[in-house]
Amino acid sequence: MDGVTVTRLAELVAGGGVAVLSGAGLSTESGIPDYRGPTGRARRAEPMTYQRFTGSAQARQRYWARSHVGWRQIGQARPNAGHRAVAELERRGLLAGIVTQNVDGLHQAAGARRVIELHGGLDRVVCLSCRERTPRAELERRLRAANPGWEAAGARINPDGDAVLTDAQVAGFQVVDCEACGGMLKPDVVFFGENVPRPRVDECFALVAGASLLLVLGSSLTVRSGLRFVTKAASLGIPIAIVNQGETGGDADASLTLDAPLGPTLTELTARLPVPAQ
C-alpha cells in the first residue's frame, strides 16, 4: 500500500462533502466475484439481458434456477472492512452520499444510510405486470416449495447472483409467478439492455454535482453506467479520487489513483482521519 497516496487521499476526504461511487471490486472481499477485476479476468461473463429474460420462458427458467443457487452465497455475504470503512466515513459526516453499482445490499448491511442503488437490489423481486415488490426471501420460500428435492451445486457464482449450471441441472426447475396477479417476476435489478430509471440517474447526477470530491471505489469504469458520473465531475472541476485494483476508464480524469485492495486501504484511510468529538 502506498502510504503517501493514502495520506493525500485522507487530506481530500477530510474536507467532507464526498460522493462515493462504488463497484463490484468493493465486494470481492465479501466473497462476491466481479466481472472485470482480478477475480473476473479468468471468467467469461455472460450476464442475462432484459430482452432475453422477458422474451423466453426457457431463459427465465435458466435464470431463476441459477439465481436460486447463487442467492445462497449472495444472501449470506457479509460486509467486509471496505464497506464498514465507508459506513464509518458516513457516520463521521464526511459523505454527501453513496452511489453503488452493486446489487448486494452490503453498504446498507454495514450501516450506511444514504445509499442510491443505481442498478437496484437482489433482495427484492418486482412483478412486471402489477409492479408489486416483494422480499427475495419470500420468493426463495416459494421456489423451494415448487421444487422439492431439487439440488444443483454451481461451479461458480457471478456478480449478478447467479450460479453457472448445466442444462441437465436446469431441466425440470419450476418457475413461480406473481401471487397477486400471475404476472412475470423479475429481480428488482437493472439487467443489461434495460435502462436505469431516469429519476434515479438524475438523483445520482445531483449528488455528484453537489459534491466536493468524487471517490470511486472498486469500479473499473469500463461501461458508461458508472463512467458518466466521473465525466460529470470532471466537467464541473470536481476532484476525483479512484481506489481500484487495476486501471480504470476514469484514470485520465482523476486527481489521485491508488491501485490497492479496498478493505485494507479504506481501513487505513479511516485511521488517518480525525474522529469527531461526541
Side-chain angles (χ1 to χ4, degrees), residues 19 99 116 118 198-211 224-233 235-236 238:
V99 176
I116 304 172
L118 183 64
R198 189 69 229 180
R200 192 183 305 168
V201 175
D202 290 342
E203 185 181 8
C204 294
F205 273 125
L207 173 64
V208 171
R224 181 177 176 274
S225 180
L227 183 60
R228 56 185 162 180
F229 301 117
V230 173
T231 302
K232 178 67 172 181
S235 71
L236 295 173
I238 297 169

Side-chain angles (χ1 to χ4, degrees), residues 54-255:
T54 56
S56 166
Q58 184 179 22
R60 288 192 297 279
Q61 179 195 44
R62 186 169 185 81
Y63 175 84
W64 282 120
R66 291 161 58 117
S67 187
H68 184 51
V69 175
W71 176 251
R72 297 171 192 170
Q73 179 171 332
I74 302 296
Q76 293 175 5
R78 295 295 176 261
N80 62 52
H83 298 109
R84 292 191 293 272
V86 172
E88 176 63 16
L89 293 177
E90 182 187 82
R91 189 187 71 80
R92 296 187 189 184
L94 296 172
L95 301 189
I98 302 163
V99 176
T100 184
Q101 299 172 86
N102 300 337
V103 294
D104 51 40
L106 292 179
H107 275 300
Q108 297 93 319
R113 294 292 174 261
R114 296 189 295 277
V115 182
I116 304 172
E117 293 180 310
L118 183 64
H119 297 144
L122 278 174
D123 62 340
R124 306 179 299 275
V125 178
V126 62
C127 173
L128 295 183
S129 295
C130 69
R131 306 309 299 181
E132 181 180 10
R133 283 173 170 79
T134 52
R136 177 63 179 262
E138 174 60 19
L139 175 66
E140 290 300 310
R141 182 194 65 76
R142 295 180 60 208
L143 287 175
R144 287 193 299 271
N147 295 278
W150 185 86
E151 284 291 338
R156 64 176 186 264
I157 306 296
N158 285 329
D160 51 4
D162 66 342
V164 177
L165 304 178
T166 65
D167 290 342
Q169 289 172 313
V170 171
F173 186 83
Q174 297 299 310
V175 176
V176 299
D177 295 320
C178 175
E179 285 191 302
C181 75
M184 184 188 304
L185 293 177
K186 172 183 170 292
D188 194 15
V189 299
V190 178
F191 281 165
F192 284 78
E194 186 178 8
N195 293 323
V196 178
R198 189 69 229 180
R200 192 183 305 168
V201 175
D202 290 342
E203 185 181 8
C204 294
F205 273 125
L207 173 64
V208 171
S212 300
L213 170 73
L214 176 60
L215 176 59
V216 181
L217 302 175
S219 177
S220 60
L221 301 173
T222 56
V223 295
R224 181 177 176 274
S225 180
L227 183 60
R228 56 185 162 180
F229 301 117
V230 173
T231 302
K232 178 67 172 181
S235 71
L236 295 173
I238 297 169
I240 300 160
I242 301 175
V243 184
N244 187 63
Q245 290 193 271
E247 297 180 352
T248 82
D251 287 354
D253 288 321
S255 306

